[in-house]
Amino acid sequence: MAAETPVCDFGWKAVDFSLKGVDGKTYALADVRGPRGTLVMFICNHCPYVKAVIGRVVAEANALKEHGINAVAIMSNDTDSYPEDSFDNMKRFAAEHGFTFPYLIDETQGVARAYNAVCTPDFFGFNADLELQYRGRLDSSKRELIADAPRELYHAMVRIADTGQGPADQIPSMGCSIKWRERLTGP
């Protein structure tokens, strides 16, 4: 089922975490924070939206390092129901795609809930003060990579690195819904 991210809540502060990476290390927000910005990405291994763009995601994360922005990817799906997203498969996925940023497992799904993550991929672009400035898409690619798509995420994050502010107009990311272990019920 396709899901779409909500409008950016400008200024919302990044929530700390402590999650195990595919490299065996445990990471907190301070460990992945960039001097001029931080990109927190919720992804998974099995989603066709992620599979279509993962090469570009890695390339953009690498390009953003030159602007003082660090990236981290978090996998929050229920691995019992979606074994393709298991920790061992996360290790394989990261190696196959040459991840240069930590790929972390959110086993309790608490981090995804704290961030109100909706789909994979879901991008959270924070400025140097860890204030949310981007909650948009990578680019116009969806289940297929669009060759010459404008670099929306990249340009937004460069702007954030330079000014501390994200663009006013942002197009929501779309992808597979987060696979929750149990649905929260509410009013």
Side-chain angles (χ1 to χ4, degrees):
M1 177 171 82
E4 203 172 86
T5 58
V7 174
C8 183
D9 183 9
F10 287 96
W12 179 81
K13 293 291 265 188
V15 176
D16 199 6
F17 50 79
S18 179
L19 299 173
K20 182 171 71 170
V22 296
D23 61 1
K25 298 177 187 172
T26 299
Y27 291 87
L29 183 60
D31 299 321
V32 299
R33 184 178 185 177
R36 296 177 71 203
T38 305
L39 177 61
V40 177
M41 308 175 284
F42 287 85
I43 67 169
C44 70
N45 309 330
H46 87 272
C47 172
Y49 291 88
V50 173
K51 286 180 173 181
V53 299
I54 195 62
R56 188 169 290 162
V57 167
V58 172
E60 297 295 43
N62 290 339
L64 287 169
K65 281 184 186 177
E66 297 173 21
H67 297 276
I69 295 170
N70 288 348
V72 60
I74 299 172
M75 202 299 297
S76 300
N77 281 348
D78 175 2
T79 58
D80 292 336
S81 297
Y82 294 86
E84 193 176 338
D85 291 332
S86 73
F87 192 66
D88 284 341
N89 285 329
M90 286 174 61
K91 290 178 185 178
R92 259 191 295 287
F93 192 76
E96 284 171 16
H97 297 287
F99 283 20
T100 55
F101 45 82
Y103 190 21
L104 314 178
I105 189 163
D106 178 18
E107 293 176 292
T108 68
Q109 300 184 314
V111 177
R113 291 196 192 283
Y115 277 75
N116 193 28
V118 173
C119 60
T120 56
D122 197 345
F123 301 100
F124 293 78
F126 296 95
N127 63 18
D129 296 323
L130 294 175
E131 298 166 333
L132 187 65
Q133 294 296 317
Y134 190 72
R135 181 86 188 268
R137 64 187 185 179
L138 173 71
D139 59 32
S140 57
S141 300
K142 292 182 181 156
R143 292 173 73 118
E144 291 185 21
L145 190 66
I146 296 175
D148 297 321
R151 299 168 73 187
E152 295 171 42
L153 173 70
Y154 173 80
H155 290 299
M157 292 307 298
V158 169
R159 176 181 171 161
I160 292 165
D162 292 344
T163 70
Q165 302 291 311
D169 294 325
Q170 302 177 12
I171 299 171
S173 186
M174 178 185 280
C176 297
S177 61
I178 298 283
K179 308 308 182 206
W180 303 107
R181 279 191 187 79
E182 55 190 51
R183 295 229 175 248
L184 295 179
T185 57

PDB file of all heavy atoms in Angstrom, residues 20-45:
ATOM      1  N   LYS A  20      21.307  -0.344  16.658  1.00  0.00           N
ATOM      2  CA  LYS A  20      22.404  -1.181  16.159  1.00  0.00           C
ATOM      3  C   LYS A  20      22.514  -1.055  14.644  1.00  0.00           C
ATOM      4  O   LYS A  20      21.519  -1.148  13.923  1.00  0.00           O
ATOM      5  CB  LYS A  20      22.163  -2.640  16.552  1.00  0.00           C
ATOM      6  CG  LYS A  20      23.292  -3.580  16.116  1.00  0.00           C
ATOM      7  CD  LYS A  20      23.134  -4.971  16.706  1.00  0.00           C
ATOM      8  CE  LYS A  20      21.980  -5.698  16.080  1.00  0.00           C
ATOM      9  NZ  LYS A  20      21.920  -7.123  16.445  1.00  0.00           N
ATOM     10  N   GLY A  21      23.742  -0.866  14.186  1.00  0.00           N
ATOM     11  CA  GLY A  21      24.018  -0.779  12.759  1.00  0.00           C
ATOM     12  C   GLY A  21      24.453  -2.111  12.188  1.00  0.00           C
ATOM     13  O   GLY A  21      24.854  -3.026  12.920  1.00  0.00           O
ATOM     14  N   VAL A  22      24.393  -2.209  10.864  1.00  0.00           N
ATOM     15  CA  VAL A  22      24.801  -3.448  10.190  1.00  0.00           C
ATOM     16  C   VAL A  22      26.288  -3.727  10.382  1.00  0.00           C
ATOM     17  O   VAL A  22      26.738  -4.850  10.158  1.00  0.00           O
ATOM     18  CB  VAL A  22      24.426  -3.439   8.685  1.00  0.00           C
ATOM     19  CG1 VAL A  22      22.910  -3.394   8.510  1.00  0.00           C
ATOM     20  CG2 VAL A  22      25.109  -2.311   7.934  1.00  0.00           C
ATOM     21  N   ASP A  23      27.048  -2.726  10.821  1.00  0.00           N
ATOM     22  CA  ASP A  23      28.479  -2.907  11.097  1.00  0.00           C
ATOM     23  C   ASP A  23      28.726  -3.397  12.522  1.00  0.00           C
ATOM     24  O   ASP A  23      29.878  -3.551  12.938  1.00  0.00           O
ATOM     25  CB  ASP A  23      29.239  -1.610  10.841  1.00  0.00           C
ATOM     26  CG  ASP A  23      28.771  -0.452  11.717  1.00  0.00           C
ATOM     27  OD1 ASP A  23      27.852  -0.637  12.548  1.00  0.00           O
ATOM     28  OD2 ASP A  23      29.327   0.661  11.553  1.00  0.00           O
ATOM     29  N   GLY A  24      27.640  -3.634  13.293  1.00  0.00           N
ATOM     30  CA  GLY A  24      27.771  -4.141  14.651  1.00  0.00           C
ATOM     31  C   GLY A  24      27.902  -3.062  15.712  1.00  0.00           C
ATOM     32  O   GLY A  24      27.844  -3.356  16.901  1.00  0.00           O
ATOM     33  N   LYS A  25      28.071  -1.801  15.306  1.00  0.00           N
ATOM     34  CA  LYS A  25      28.185  -0.694  16.252  1.00  0.00           C
ATOM     35  C   LYS A  25      26.794  -0.157  16.590  1.00  0.00           C
ATOM     36  O   LYS A  25      25.856  -0.316  15.816  1.00  0.00           O
ATOM     37  CB  LYS A  25      29.017   0.443  15.654  1.00  0.00           C
ATOM     38  CG  LYS A  25      30.448   0.065  15.335  1.00  0.00           C
ATOM     39  CD  LYS A  25      31.171   1.233  14.681  1.00  0.00           C
ATOM     40  CE  LYS A  25      32.553   0.829  14.209  1.00  0.00           C
ATOM     41  NZ  LYS A  25      33.175   1.899  13.419  1.00  0.00           N
ATOM     42  N   THR A  26      26.698   0.496  17.742  1.00  0.00           N
ATOM     43  CA  THR A  26      25.460   1.159  18.138  1.00  0.00           C
ATOM     44  C   THR A  26      25.633   2.654  17.913  1.00  0.00           C
ATOM     45  O   THR A  26      26.672   3.228  18.259  1.00  0.00           O
ATOM     46  CB  THR A  26      25.141   0.876  19.619  1.00  0.00           C
ATOM     47  OG1 THR A  26      24.967  -0.541  19.771  1.00  0.00           O
ATOM     48  CG2 THR A  26      23.874   1.578  20.067  1.00  0.00           C
ATOM     49  N   TYR A  27      24.611   3.258  17.311  1.00  0.00           N
ATOM     50  CA  TYR A  27      24.674   4.673  16.949  1.00  0.00           C
ATOM     51  C   TYR A  27      23.594   5.476  17.657  1.00  0.00           C
ATOM     52  O   TYR A  27      22.449   5.038  17.747  1.00  0.00           O
ATOM     53  CB  TYR A  27      24.472   4.843  15.443  1.00  0.00           C
ATOM     54  CG  TYR A  27      25.619   4.325  14.611  1.00  0.00           C
ATOM     55  CD1 TYR A  27      25.664   2.987  14.230  1.00  0.00           C
ATOM     56  CD2 TYR A  27      26.645   5.168  14.213  1.00  0.00           C
ATOM     57  CE1 TYR A  27      26.709   2.499  13.469  1.00  0.00           C
ATOM     58  CE2 TYR A  27      27.699   4.690  13.448  1.00  0.00           C
ATOM     59  CZ  TYR A  27      27.734   3.362  13.078  1.00  0.00           C
ATOM     60  OH  TYR A  27      28.771   2.883  12.325  1.00  0.00           O
ATOM     61  N   ALA A  28      23.971   6.665  18.097  1.00  0.00           N
ATOM     62  CA  ALA A  28      23.041   7.663  18.610  1.00  0.00           C
ATOM     63  C   ALA A  28      23.006   8.810  17.606  1.00  0.00           C
ATOM     64  O   ALA A  28      23.854   8.895  16.697  1.00  0.00           O
ATOM     65  CB  ALA A  28      23.503   8.174  19.970  1.00  0.00           C
ATOM     66  N   LEU A  29      22.057   9.712  17.770  1.00  0.00           N
ATOM     67  CA  LEU A  29      21.944  10.860  16.876  1.00  0.00           C
ATOM     68  C   LEU A  29      23.253  11.650  16.826  1.00  0.00           C
ATOM     69  O   LEU A  29      23.698  12.065  15.748  1.00  0.00           O
ATOM     70  CB  LEU A  29      20.781  11.753  17.320  1.00  0.00           C
ATOM     71  CG  LEU A  29      20.469  12.966  16.456  1.00  0.00           C
ATOM     72  CD1 LEU A  29      20.120  12.561  15.030  1.00  0.00           C
ATOM     73  CD2 LEU A  29      19.329  13.767  17.076  1.00  0.00           C
ATOM     74  N   ALA A  30      23.902  11.842  17.964  1.00  0.00           N
ATOM     75  CA  ALA A  30      25.159  12.595  18.018  1.00  0.00           C
ATOM     76  C   ALA A  30      26.250  11.952  17.162  1.00  0.00           C
ATOM     77  O   ALA A  30      27.122  12.647  16.635  1.00  0.00           O
ATOM     78  CB  ALA A  30      25.635  12.730  19.463  1.00  0.00           C
ATOM     79  N   ASP A  31      26.207  10.635  17.008  1.00  0.00           N
ATOM     80  CA  ASP A  31      27.219   9.914  16.220  1.00  0.00           C
ATOM     81  C   ASP A  31      27.069  10.137  14.726  1.00  0.00           C
ATOM     82  O   ASP A  31      28.028   9.977  13.973  1.00  0.00           O
ATOM     83  CB  ASP A  31      27.144   8.406  16.500  1.00  0.00           C
ATOM     84  CG  ASP A  31      27.407   8.074  17.956  1.00  0.00           C
ATOM     85  OD1 ASP A  31      28.288   8.700  18.573  1.00  0.00           O
ATOM     86  OD2 ASP A  31      26.707   7.174  18.476  1.00  0.00           O
ATOM     87  N   VAL A  32      25.864  10.457  14.290  1.00  0.00           N
ATOM     88  CA  VAL A  32      25.608  10.595  12.851  1.00  0.00           C
ATOM     89  C   VAL A  32      25.382  12.049  12.438  1.00  0.00           C
ATOM     90  O   VAL A  32      25.307  12.353  11.250  1.00  0.00           O
ATOM     91  CB  VAL A  32      24.402   9.740  12.405  1.00  0.00           C
ATOM     92  CG1 VAL A  32      24.683   8.260  12.676  1.00  0.00           C
ATOM     93  CG2 VAL A  32      23.118  10.181  13.076  1.00  0.00           C
ATOM     94  N   ARG A  33      25.311  12.941  13.396  1.00  0.00           N
ATOM     95  CA  ARG A  33      25.033  14.354  13.137  1.00  0.00           C
ATOM     96  C   ARG A  33      26.137  14.983  12.293  1.00  0.00           C
ATOM     97  O   ARG A  33      27.328  14.793  12.555  1.00  0.00           O
ATOM     98  CB  ARG A  33      24.930  15.071  14.480  1.00  0.00           C
ATOM     99  CG  ARG A  33      24.556  16.509  14.395  1.00  0.00           C
ATOM    100  CD  ARG A  33      24.428  17.088  15.790  1.00  0.00           C
ATOM    101  NE  ARG A  33      23.957  18.462  15.740  1.00  0.00           N
ATOM    102  CZ  ARG A  33      23.700  19.196  16.798  1.00  0.00           C
ATOM    103  NH1 ARG A  33      23.863  18.671  18.013  1.00  0.00           N
ATOM    104  NH2 ARG A  33      23.286  20.431  16.670  1.00  0.00           N
ATOM    105  N   GLY A  34      25.726  15.754  11.287  1.00  0.00           N
ATOM    106  CA  GLY A  34      26.685  16.468  10.454  1.00  0.00           C
ATOM    107  C   GLY A  34      26.883  17.885  10.956  1.00  0.00           C
ATOM    108  O   GLY A  34      25.989  18.454  11.600  1.00  0.00           O
ATOM    109  N   PRO A  35      28.026  18.507  10.668  1.00  0.00           N
ATOM    110  CA  PRO A  35      28.283  19.861  11.158  1.00  0.00           C
ATOM    111  C   PRO A  35      27.328  20.912  10.585  1.00  0.00           C
ATOM    112  O   PRO A  35      27.075  21.933  11.221  1.00  0.00           O
ATOM    113  CB  PRO A  35      29.726  20.142  10.733  1.00  0.00           C
ATOM    114  CG  PRO A  35      30.045  19.149   9.672  1.00  0.00           C
ATOM    115  CD  PRO A  35      29.163  17.958   9.923  1.00  0.00           C
ATOM    116  N   ARG A  36      26.759  20.648   9.393  1.00  0.00           N
ATOM    117  CA  ARG A  36      25.864  21.639   8.769  1.00  0.00           C
ATOM    118  C   ARG A  36      24.466  21.083   8.496  1.00  0.00           C
ATOM    119  O   ARG A  36      23.626  21.776   7.938  1.00  0.00           O
ATOM    120  CB  ARG A  36      26.499  22.142   7.480  1.00  0.00           C
ATOM    121  CG  ARG A  36      27.807  22.891   7.786  1.00  0.00           C
ATOM    122  CD  ARG A  36      28.522  23.365   6.558  1.00  0.00           C
ATOM    123  NE  ARG A  36      27.791  24.457   5.938  1.00  0.00           N
ATOM    124  CZ  ARG A  36      27.914  24.787   4.665  1.00  0.00           C
ATOM    125  NH1 ARG A  36      28.725  24.108   3.879  1.00  0.00           N
ATOM    126  NH2 ARG A  36      27.232  25.786   4.160  1.00  0.00           N
ATOM    127  N   GLY A  37      24.237  19.836   8.889  1.00  0.00           N
ATOM    128  CA  GLY A  37      22.921  19.241   8.698  1.00  0.00           C
ATOM    129  C   GLY A  37      22.975  17.733   8.796  1.00  0.00           C
ATOM    130  O   GLY A  37      24.043  17.124   8.701  1.00  0.00           O
ATOM    131  N   THR A  38      21.806  17.134   8.982  1.00  0.00           N
ATOM    132  CA  THR A  38      21.708  15.681   9.130  1.00  0.00           C
ATOM    133  C   THR A  38      20.488  15.195   8.361  1.00  0.00           C
ATOM    134  O   THR A  38      19.405  15.775   8.477  1.00  0.00           O
ATOM    135  CB  THR A  38      21.562  15.302  10.625  1.00  0.00           C
ATOM    136  OG1 THR A  38      22.648  15.885  11.357  1.00  0.00           O
ATOM    137  CG2 THR A  38      21.577  13.795  10.818  1.00  0.00           C
ATOM    138  N   LEU A  39      20.689  14.141   7.600  1.00  0.00           N
ATOM    139  CA  LEU A  39      19.615  13.526   6.840  1.00  0.00           C
ATOM    140  C   LEU A  39      19.301  12.174   7.461  1.00  0.00           C
ATOM    141  O   LEU A  39      20.152  11.284   7.489  1.00  0.00           O
ATOM    142  CB  LEU A  39      20.028  13.353   5.373  1.00  0.00           C
ATOM    143  CG  LEU A  39      19.033  12.654   4.451  1.00  0.00           C
ATOM    144  CD1 LEU A  39      17.718  13.429   4.372  1.00  0.00           C
ATOM    145  CD2 LEU A  39      19.648  12.481   3.065  1.00  0.00           C
ATOM    146  N   VAL A  40      18.084  12.039   7.997  1.00  0.00           N
ATOM    147  CA  VAL A  40      17.618  10.782   8.576  1.00  0.00           C
ATOM    148  C   VAL A  40      16.638  10.176   7.576  1.00  0.00           C
ATOM    149  O   VAL A  40      15.644  10.809   7.216  1.00  0.00           O
ATOM    150  CB  VAL A  40      16.936  11.007   9.943  1.00  0.00           C
ATOM    151  CG1 VAL A  40      16.381   9.689  10.500  1.00  0.00           C
ATOM    152  CG2 VAL A  40      17.913  11.640  10.934  1.00  0.00           C
ATOM    153  N   MET A  41      16.952   8.962   7.121  1.00  0.00           N
ATOM    154  CA  MET A  41      16.137   8.301   6.094  1.00  0.00           C
ATOM    155  C   MET A  41      15.567   7.007   6.636  1.00  0.00           C
ATOM    156  O   MET A  41      16.305   6.190   7.187  1.00  0.00           O
ATOM    157  CB  MET A  41      17.003   7.975   4.870  1.00  0.00           C
ATOM    158  CG  MET A  41      17.782   9.137   4.320  1.00  0.00           C
ATOM    159  SD  MET A  41      18.901   8.657   2.965  1.00  0.00           S
ATOM    160  CE  MET A  41      20.235   7.853   3.865  1.00  0.00           C
ATOM    161  N   PHE A  42      14.278   6.815   6.474  1.00  0.00           N
ATOM    162  CA  PHE A  42      13.658   5.536   6.817  1.00  0.00           C
ATOM    163  C   PHE A  42      13.508   4.778   5.501  1.00  0.00           C
ATOM    164  O   PHE A  42      12.845   5.251   4.566  1.00  0.00           O
ATOM    165  CB  PHE A  42      12.309   5.749   7.509  1.00  0.00           C
ATOM    166  CG  PHE A  42      12.469   6.254   8.909  1.00  0.00           C
ATOM    167  CD1 PHE A  42      12.617   7.612   9.158  1.00  0.00           C
ATOM    168  CD2 PHE A  42      12.516   5.370   9.977  1.00  0.00           C
ATOM    169  CE1 PHE A  42      12.797   8.085  10.455  1.00  0.00           C
ATOM    170  CE2 PHE A  42      12.695   5.834  11.278  1.00  0.00           C
ATOM    171  CZ  PHE A  42      12.835   7.193  11.515  1.00  0.00           C
ATOM    172  N   ILE A  43      14.178   3.632   5.430  1.00  0.00           N
ATOM    173  CA  ILE A  43      14.150   2.809   4.217  1.00  0.00           C
ATOM    174  C   ILE A  43      13.967   1.353   4.630  1.00  0.00           C
ATOM    175  O   ILE A  43      13.913   1.038   5.816  1.00  0.00           O
ATOM    176  CB  ILE A  43      15.431   2.965   3.363  1.00  0.00           C
ATOM    177  CG1 ILE A  43      16.657   2.388   4.101  1.00  0.00           C
ATOM    178  CG2 ILE A  43      15.666   4.429   2.974  1.00  0.00           C
ATOM    179  CD1 ILE A  43      17.900   2.259   3.232  1.00  0.00           C
ATOM    180  N   CYS A  44      13.882   0.472   3.656  1.00  0.00           N
ATOM    181  CA  CYS A  44      13.893  -0.970   3.920  1.00  0.00           C
ATOM    182  C   CYS A  44      14.478  -1.656   2.693  1.00  0.00           C
ATOM    183  O   CYS A  44      14.821  -1.003   1.709  1.00  0.00           O
ATOM    184  CB  CYS A  44      12.493  -1.479   4.249  1.00  0.00           C
ATOM    185  SG  CYS A  44      11.368  -1.466   2.853  1.00  0.00           S
ATOM    186  N   ASN A  45      14.586  -2.959   2.760  1.00  0.00           N
ATOM    187  CA  ASN A  45      15.204  -3.720   1.672  1.00  0.00           C
ATOM    188  C   ASN A  45      14.215  -4.137   0.599  1.00  0.00           C
ATOM    189  O   ASN A  45      14.592  -4.301  -0.554  1.00  0.00           O
ATOM    190  CB  ASN A  45      15.851  -4.999   2.219  1.00  0.00           C
ATOM    191  CG  ASN A  45      16.761  -4.742   3.392  1.00  0.00           C
ATOM    192  OD1 ASN A  45      17.372  -3.695   3.521  1.00  0.00           O
ATOM    193  ND2 ASN A  45      16.833  -5.720   4.283  1.00  0.00           N
TER     194      ASN A  45
END
